[in-house]
Amino acid sequence: MKHLRVIQIGYGTVGGAVIEQILAHREQWRRQLHLDVSLVAFGGRDGAVCVDVDHGVSDEACRDGVRERREGGRPAGTTTSWDAVIYQAAAEGHTVVLDAAAGSETATHDVLALEEGAGVVLSNKAPLALPWSDPRAQVLWSQARSNGHLRYEATVGAGLPVISTLHTLLDTGDTMREITGMLSGTFGAIFSDVASGTSFASAVRTAKEAGFTEPDPRDDLSGLDVARKALILARSCGHQVDLSGIAVRSFVPDALADVSIDAFLDGLEGMNDEIAELASGATASGGVLKYVAAVNAGGEVSVGLQGVSTSTVLGALTGPENVVSFRTERYDDYPTVVSGPGAGAAVTAAGMVGDMLRLGMMLG
Ligand SMILES: NC(=O)c1ccc[n+]([C@@H]2O[C@H](COP(=O)([O-])OP(=O)(O)OC[C@H]3O[C@@H](n4cnc5c(N)ncnc54)[C@H](OP(=O)(O)O)[C@@H]3O)[C@@H](O)[C@H]2O)c1
């Protein structure tokens, strides 16, 4: 039986669901995979709690910690620095760090884990989107391959097999010609409504009310999240692109960047005419307006509005689903397509847990 120590950075929506999945399924992994997974530490910006590298923490302590945070509190227990926990666990044996935090600060912990021989699994896109000039980006990307110690399936399309499909295509010697994708459930929902005649500002309000946007819709409408995903796809193909080199269509004008959320939503009315005109232009040419990320064979990345023919997989998609289409030398006339829900706690957590298990079985 192989023993795998797991350190969970970030225990919000995704990290909390990862903890629940580990506690629910580790007995099955012992039986079927001969992998004994123990959660040795978890926590957030305050540091790591419930550290017990020798014996693992009790299931109840973990569940209580997740519940406490959801209810606005903090879990009981001493807080330790992430670095101390990583050093200790990695010295003890096989270790995987799961980064379900937000922002690039955790990149330092991820790099330390790799340097100490541990595996790293990310749903957090920001570390992988650091500029190439940042040495941490180079360490992380040097391990981001099929047999490397860094896995990041959940960063694009949540639990959908987007990154693993891409790696398989490239590992088997195929040549990428183009990747196109709708990588945001929020934009999917908004532009489906716009296609049925709703004004852009009303579509944004409806998406917010349905829970498809972040609490502040600007976090989605800036396009940054989609740009990071497109960057990750391009870098996975070996292109040394930076976020600063990507043309991104943002729906957050400077004048609305710092106003209240209500004022922002009101201010979007000013874009209604432009977007209605683009939508009717797309309809007139047999298509539909979509927010599309594209990476071409040369590594150029674009993120913005496009009229897409309704006879294509991308054009036919409605609602918040994600879709990624890989057009390669082997899959040219009929691209390989991955689609389904691209966000949500359970599916994103499952993407991370799948990566964790594969790493756990590989480390040795
Ligand atoms: N939600 C989804 O459907 C989804 C899908 C794909 C990818 N993702 C990505 O997965 C990540 C987590 O998403 P979420 O929805 O779970 O977010 P969330 O609910 O806001 O939770 C974020 C967690 O990360 C912790 N954190 C933030 N900055 C940190 C830092 N510098 N050091 C240590 N911990 C830090 C927070 O700590 P505190 O507890 O101290 O606040 C919190 O526990 C994000 O990067 C997101 O983009 C999410």
Side-chain angles (χ1 to χ4, degrees), residues 113-200:
L114 291 173
E115 286 170 349
E116 293 302 303
V120 172
V121 173
L122 303 166
S123 65
N124 183 7
K125 293 165 277 289
L128 290 179
L130 283 167
W132 272 115
S133 54
D134 188 316
R136 292 173 300 174
Q138 289 169 29
V139 175
L140 296 174
W141 279 100
S142 71
Q143 290 293 328
R145 46 174 209 273
S146 308
N147 64 345
H149 281 191
L150 182 138
R151 305 291 161 107
Y152 56 106
E153 186 66 85
T155 58
V156 183
L160 299 175
V162 173
I163 301 298
S164 48
T165 301
L166 174 51
H167 281 155
T168 302
L169 291 167
L170 297 177
D171 289 347
T172 55
D174 209 342
T175 304
M176 196 58 67
R177 295 201 163 146
E178 190 183 34
I179 306 175
T180 44
M182 283 158 48
L183 305 173
S184 155
T186 311
F187 281 123
I190 291 170
F191 287 105
S192 286
D193 270 7
V194 167
S196 28
T198 309
S199 75
F200 175 65

Side-chain angles (χ1 to χ4, degrees), residues 10-14 44-45 69 74 100-102 105 123-125 154 344 348:
Y11 63 122
T13 306
V14 174
R45 284 163 295 179
R69 184 184 184 277
R74 310 303 292 175
E105 274 177 45
S123 65
N124 183 7
K125 293 165 277 289
T348 311

Side-chain angles (χ1 to χ4, degrees), residues 5 35 44 81 91 104 114 117 125 134 153 164-165 171 184 229 254 256-257 263 274 276 320-321 362:
R5 292 157 179 78
L35 194 62
S81 86
S104 60
L114 291 173
K125 293 165 277 289
D134 188 316
E153 186 66 85
S164 48
T165 301
D171 289 347
S184 155
K229 292 175 186 171
D254 289 347
L256 299 179
E274 180 207 350
E321 256 184 286
M362 189 192 88

Side-chain angles (χ1 to χ4, degrees), residues 338-349:
V338 179
S339 72
V347 289
T348 311

Side-chain angles (χ1 to χ4, degrees), residues 12 15 23 54 88 92 102 111 167 176 182 235 259 268 304 338:
L23 298 180
D54 292 328
Q88 191 185 347
E92 298 275 335
V111 165
H167 281 155
M176 196 58 67
M182 283 158 48
R235 286 184 173 180
V259 299
L268 290 180
V338 179

